[in-house]
Amino acid sequence: MSDDDSEITGSDEVEVDGANGFSGNFENADLGDEESNQGLFDDLLSGEPIFENKEVLRPSYTPHELPHRSDQINKMATILVAALRGETPSNILIYGKTGTGKTASAKFVSKELESTSQKYSVPCDVEYINCEVTDTQYRVLAQLANKFIEKNEARIDERIDELQSLLDDLEAYDRAIDVDASSDEPADGTASDPFDFVSEDEVDGDAETSTGTDIGPQSGDSPLEKGGSGDRTDSSSETEPAALENVADGTEASGDGAGDPTPDHPLASTPFDDRDEIEARIAGLRDDKDSFEEVPMTGWPTDRVYSVFFDAVDYDERVVVIMLDEIDKLVEKSGDDTLYNLSRMNSELENSRVSIIGISNDLKFTDFLDPRVKSSLGEEEIVFPPYDANQLRDILEHRSEVAFKGGALSGDVIPLCAAFAAQEHGDARRALDLLRTAGELAERSQSETIVEEHVRQAQDKIELDRVVEVVRTLPTQSKLVLFAIILLEKNGVHSINTGEVFNIYKRLCEEIDADVLTQRRVTDLISELDMLGIVNAVVVSKGRYGRTKEISLSVPLEETEAVLLSDSRLSDIDDVQPFVQARFEN
């Protein structure tokens, strides 16, 4: 940093951080005043937070308890308990509208299943896939294959660590045996000659014995006398059988770990007989790990991906539960080939067993399935009915105890959130979003309590956010048709007909140099906007003049126009405004 960087004249002098290189010129700011030191977020952080744990109000959170879903949860548990017995559970199809607790209940049961399987040492794996995101056969199989390859590699590493620990124990055992053997040798170091312990007198005595002279044993000369007997013959007859008996029952072991393992031997309760077998097993596991090949997200033939997935699943003995959320999206996008392969693979698996849980909002999606897939997939069906207002209130109260600080909610907040959500087919997800958004709005206004007004503001905001997202993602031609309707309404035209919309639409297409569709196609686009809830198109009869559509906007005009104008192609369309105005004045 140069000297000029650190020079600030007058009262504006500020220390400059040499490490970060910040400039000290703050436009004559008086840094001695505490108020001027307040940063962008200081005021926002000054108030007390309303939330204790906001995450419990999000759809991704899986609670420890699910009110009013015990019947469905118990039914799932009675089906999946077969996995804990090492058997193949029946496939399950779960139906219900959005926000009825299908996914949360299935994830809750799956977590309980995995934790119980670990408790009883029963191998059981559950894999969850959202088919709205992973919506092709290739992606589903690739994602499953890679997940099971990852699990297999982790288990191989655990087994190698266990075997390596067993080798360490065996080495420590061998060292202990060697130490015990060396402690039994004489201290004078003459034990290298097996005959050094025999004295000269004993040799002479043996010689005399061989000539027929009876010579008694010399006290303290033979280690065989350690048993306390004064007679060599007695000592041999008592000690040698006892030693043989010790070897027979395994209380004596050789120092090199060879032979039959003793009860205290590290290999006693293992299927291995010696070190070489353990090392061979470790080498085999490492070869298995090296043979796994991760599936890329694109580029392989589908049959190769299925083969890798099949081998990864069948590597270990286990029960596998595959949970396919939004399963109807998978069938709609890529047909029922994936379900056919998954539902039929148990007939080919040798070590593992596979069960499928399908979750769908569409009660009729199985009508389009192959009869063979339908029969095997829908072995068990569970329907989740919509929540009513009282049930939604219980759910919100249960979550709010964890989500908010004490006294943060006024008494009418939860009933109002439940009532709004109950109007829309009992959507618990909508109720949770309402409550969370109301809390965020209260927190932003630095209010200490969430009140009814915050809930109503949250309702408007959520609805507007939905409209904004829908409008923002419309195709350009649909945006032009919608913008034509907005321009007509801004100029006071009510009960707009299709012809009027088409005339303005053509003018807009000329402004941005876009292709002009036929009036029939524009009519179809209006019907699509009607289906999305953006406009309201009603067919009315004009008597002898025929029938026509009367079109009106059903979303906020200014906010919708702002979203359309944020599109770079439509941003200069304001030039059309005088033309529209002049046309209606004439």
Side-chain angles (χ1 to χ4, degrees):
M1 180 181 293
S2 67
D3 295 338
D4 294 340
D5 292 326
S6 60
E7 292 181 2
I8 301 174
T9 60
S11 61
D12 300 336
E13 185 173 350
V14 183
E15 291 186 3
V16 179
D17 189 341
N20 296 320
F22 291 125
S23 173
N25 189 359
F26 293 103
E27 300 293 339
N28 299 323
D30 185 4
L31 298 181
D33 186 0
E34 289 187 2
E35 293 183 359
S36 62
N37 281 328
Q38 294 291 317
L40 177 62
F41 295 98
D42 290 332
D43 289 338
L44 299 175
L45 292 172
S46 61
E48 284 293 323
I50 289 178
F51 291 100
E52 186 74 39
N53 183 4
K54 190 189 296 186
E55 297 306 311
V56 302
L57 298 177
R58 298 192 183 277
S60 58
Y61 176 76
T62 303
H64 300 295
E65 181 182 352
L66 287 161
H68 306 291
R69 285 295 177 252
S70 56
D71 291 343
Q72 289 80 7
I73 288 173
N74 289 336
K75 187 172 182 180
M76 273 190 280
T78 56
I79 297 170
L80 294 176
V81 71
L84 300 176
R85 302 190 184 106
E87 304 168 357
T88 307
S90 299
N91 297 325
I92 306 174
L93 278 181
I94 299 174
Y95 299 102
K97 290 182 177 293
T98 302
T100 52
K102 304 182 303 297
T103 302
S105 298
K107 285 185 174 181
F108 174 80
V109 174
S110 299
K111 286 175 64 177
E112 290 291 316
L113 179 65
E114 287 190 309
S115 61
T116 307
S117 69
Q118 294 174 2
K119 177 181 177 181
Y120 291 102
S121 300
V122 178
C124 181
D125 292 330
V126 180
E127 290 299 335
Y128 171 85
I129 291 182
N130 186 345
C131 296
E132 191 166 15
V133 178
T134 311
D135 58 356
T136 65
Q137 181 180 9
Y138 186 101
R139 292 177 182 176
V140 169
L141 295 177
Q143 186 171 331
L144 288 172
N146 290 335
K147 284 185 176 182
F148 283 108
I149 286 173
E150 185 179 345
K151 286 178 179 289
N152 293 340
E153 289 176 341
R155 289 180 179 175
I156 286 175
D157 289 338
E158 290 177 4
R159 290 172 186 170
I160 290 176
D161 290 341
E162 291 171 359
L163 293 175
Q164 194 62 52
S165 177
L166 185 59
L167 283 177
D168 295 340
D169 293 343
L170 184 59
E171 185 177 347
Y173 178 85
D174 289 347
R175 285 199 303 267
I177 293 295
D178 291 341
V179 170
D180 291 342
S182 62
S183 65
D184 291 338
E185 297 177 359
D188 58 5
T190 59
S192 58
D193 186 348
F195 297 103
D196 280 351
F197 68 88
V198 183
S199 64
E200 293 180 0
D201 294 338
E202 193 170 357
V203 172
D204 294 339
D206 290 341
E208 294 179 9
T209 302
S210 63
T211 59
T213 307
D214 186 12
I215 303 296
Q218 302 297 317
S219 176
D221 289 340
S222 174
L224 295 175
E225 293 182 352
K226 292 180 181 179
S229 170
D231 185 86
R232 179 184 293 272
T233 305
D234 293 340
S235 174
S236 299
S237 63
E238 293 176 8
T239 305
E240 291 178 4
L244 291 173
E245 183 178 352
N246 289 340
V247 173
D249 64 12
T251 56
E252 287 189 10
S254 62
D256 60 1
D260 294 334
T262 68
D264 295 329
H265 197 281
L267 303 183
S269 58
T270 70
F272 303 105
D273 293 329
D274 54 31
R275 181 186 302 273
D276 291 341
E277 290 188 9
I278 301 175
E279 292 175 344
R281 179 58 179 153
I282 291 176
L285 288 172
R286 286 175 176 158
D287 290 341
D288 288 346
K289 185 176 179 180
D290 292 339
S291 69
F292 293 137
E293 185 177 6
E294 185 175 345
V295 180
M297 281 297 104
T298 184
W300 282 13
T302 305
D303 57 346
R304 181 183 176 188
V305 179
Y306 177 79
S307 177
V308 171
F309 161 65
F310 183 93
D311 293 340
V313 170
D314 208 31
Y315 179 78
D316 260 343
E317 183 177 341
R318 58 188 162 192
V319 176
V320 174
V321 178
I322 299 174
M323 192 186 310
L324 300 175
D325 200 358
E326 307 288 353
I327 190 173
D328 51 298
K329 304 293 184 183
L330 176 64
V331 174
E332 179 182 333
K333 180 73 177 287
S334 57
D336 56 8
D337 291 345
T338 309
L339 302 181
Y340 180 82
N341 290 330
L342 292 177
S343 62
R344 297 285 171 170
M345 66 186 301
N346 281 329
S347 59
E348 302 173 11
L349 292 170
E350 295 181 0
N351 299 319
S352 61
R353 291 291 178 266
V354 173
S355 175
I356 302 171
I357 299 178
I359 304 174
S360 173
N361 299 328
D362 186 359
L363 297 175
K364 297 182 179 180
F365 94 95
T366 54
D367 295 345
F368 305 100
L369 295 178
D370 184 288
R372 295 169 297 176
V373 177
K374 185 176 180 180
S375 62
S376 59
L377 187 63
E379 294 172 337
E380 297 282 351
E381 295 185 353
I382 302 175
V383 177
F384 280 67
Y387 294 107
D388 60 31
N390 292 329
Q391 292 173 335
L392 290 172
R393 184 184 303 178
D394 292 341
I395 293 171
L396 293 179
E397 288 176 350
H398 184 262
R399 298 280 187 102
S400 64
E401 292 174 358
V402 183
F404 296 102
K405 293 183 179 295
L409 291 173
S410 64
D412 52 358
V413 167
I414 287 180
L416 186 58
C417 288
F420 277 142
Q423 293 174 1
E424 301 183 18
H425 59 258
D427 190 343
R429 191 173 301 168
R430 179 62 179 267
L432 292 170
D433 284 344
L434 261 178
L435 185 58
R436 176 178 51 80
T437 305
E440 290 172 347
L441 293 174
E443 204 169 51
R444 290 169 194 170
S445 63
Q446 296 188 349
S447 174
E448 296 180 356
T449 307
I450 305 171
V451 296
E452 177 183 339
E453 182 59 28
H454 293 131
V455 177
R456 297 191 181 279
Q457 291 175 5
Q459 170 80 344
D460 295 338
K461 182 178 184 301
I462 290 174
E463 184 63 28
L464 180 60
D465 288 345
R466 184 191 70 82
V467 171
V468 167
E469 183 63 23
V470 171
V471 172
R472 187 181 62 81
T473 56
L474 285 174
T476 301
Q477 292 287 349
S478 296
K479 286 182 178 179
L480 290 171
V481 172
L482 178 58
F483 200 44
I485 298 171
I486 289 175
L487 290 175
L488 288 166
E489 284 214 354
K490 284 181 68 176
N491 286 273
V493 180
H494 302 290
S495 301
I496 304 167
N497 61 49
T498 308
E500 291 171 331
V501 173
F502 182 68
N503 289 333
I504 306 301
Y505 160 78
K506 287 192 298 182
R507 179 73 177 182
L508 296 175
C509 289
E510 293 173 2
E511 289 290 331
I512 67 169
D513 195 23
D515 294 335
V516 179
L517 302 179
T518 63
Q519 183 167 345
R520 185 180 186 86
R521 181 62 185 135
V522 169
T523 303
D524 292 339
L525 293 179
I526 293 173
S527 298
E528 292 177 8
L529 294 174
D530 182 26
M531 183 183 64
L532 291 171
I534 299 174
V535 301
N536 184 27
V538 180
V539 178
V540 295
S541 175
K542 297 294 185 179
R544 61 178 180 174
Y545 297 103
R547 300 195 308 170
T548 186
K549 277 186 178 179
E550 289 189 351
I551 306 160
S552 60
L553 201 64
S554 57
V555 292
L557 188 148
E558 293 182 0
E559 289 82 356
T560 306
E561 183 181 17
V563 176
L564 291 175
L565 292 176
S566 66
D567 189 321
S568 59
R569 295 195 66 184
L570 278 66
S571 57
D572 297 329
I573 249 173
D574 284 337
D575 296 338
V576 175
Q577 184 77 17
F579 168 79
V580 176
Q581 185 71 30
R583 174 180 178 272
F584 289 118
E585 285 181 352
N586 294 334

